[in-house]
Amino acid sequence: LSVGATRTLCAALASQDSLTMLDLGHNQLGPEGVEAVCDAAIHNSRILTLGLASVGMRDQGAKFMADVVRVNCTITELYLNSNGIEREGTTELADALIFNNRSQIKGLYMFGNDMGEGVSELHKLLQEAPEAEENVPLSADYALAFLMGTHPRLGAASCCRTLA
């Protein structure tokens, strides 16, 4: 999809009230296309799953997604795998999750991003669920799946898995 086509699609989606899953993965949307998707998703109360794996998001797109995470209370799963998200984007997303205490996100999938020191920002969420840290080796700055299904605030004790 081109950025223009993405904008057209997202304009139509803004008024869509029956769509619960949107997967635009593996389209080279880049940060501009991701911004269009985020503009449509930010106040959407129906989309539960948003797939944006391998869309060329980078840190700039992750910032747009963080804006969605800060206010959207219905999305339960985000697929952001292989997007060139590094420390800055990871930090923005972690801060957004901490900020939105009504978030319903139970799965944030970030495999294939070089998150670097941004992974340490995800530790802030684990501080709310120290028992989960026993199962969570967050020292690696590669391939992280952040699953919040058992987090005390976001679900019931966060579970992070680092996968090679």
Side-chain angles (χ1 to χ4, degrees):
L1 288 175
S2 67
V3 173
T6 302
R7 286 189 179 123
T8 302
L9 174 66
C10 290
L13 292 174
S15 62
Q16 177 59 255
D17 63 354
S18 62
L19 184 71
T20 60
M21 178 183 178
L22 177 62
D23 187 354
L24 296 176
H26 304 282
N27 285 290
Q28 285 306 309
L29 306 179
E32 284 184 69
V34 170
E35 181 179 21
V37 172
C38 290
D39 287 347
I42 197 161
H43 296 296
N44 184 300
S45 62
R46 298 286 185 197
I47 293 178
L48 304 175
T49 303
L50 185 56
L52 292 172
S54 299
V55 296
M57 179 179 292
R58 299 188 297 279
D59 283 342
Q60 185 62 39
K63 289 178 185 179
F64 297 133
M65 184 54 60
D67 291 340
V68 172
V69 171
R70 277 186 189 89
V71 298
N72 184 291
C73 297
T74 56
I75 293 175
T76 59
E77 292 183 289
L78 278 176
Y79 291 85
L80 307 179
N81 309 8
S82 302
N83 269 305
I85 300 172
E86 298 181 346
R87 181 198 56 78
E88 188 177 352
T90 304
T91 299
E92 288 283 335
L93 288 164
D95 289 346
L97 285 164
I98 291 166
F99 176 82
N100 185 352
N101 62 7
R102 296 182 304 137
S103 174
Q104 298 299 309
I105 293 176
K106 292 176 178 31
L108 173 58
Y109 303 93
M110 296 184 67
F111 300 105
N113 290 296
D114 184 16
M115 296 175 280
E117 294 178 15
V119 172
S120 65
E121 294 299 314
L122 296 175
H123 275 289
K124 292 178 182 178
L125 285 167
L126 285 177
Q127 290 170 0
E128 296 178 19
E131 69 281 356
E133 199 156 2
E134 300 167 10
N135 305 322
V136 185
L138 273 181
S139 59
D141 49 299
Y142 57 87
L144 177 74
F146 190 68
L147 308 172
M148 292 167 283
T150 56
H151 190 277
R153 178 169 54 86
L154 302 175
S158 247
C159 179
C160 296
R161 295 184 190 147
T162 307
L163 305 171

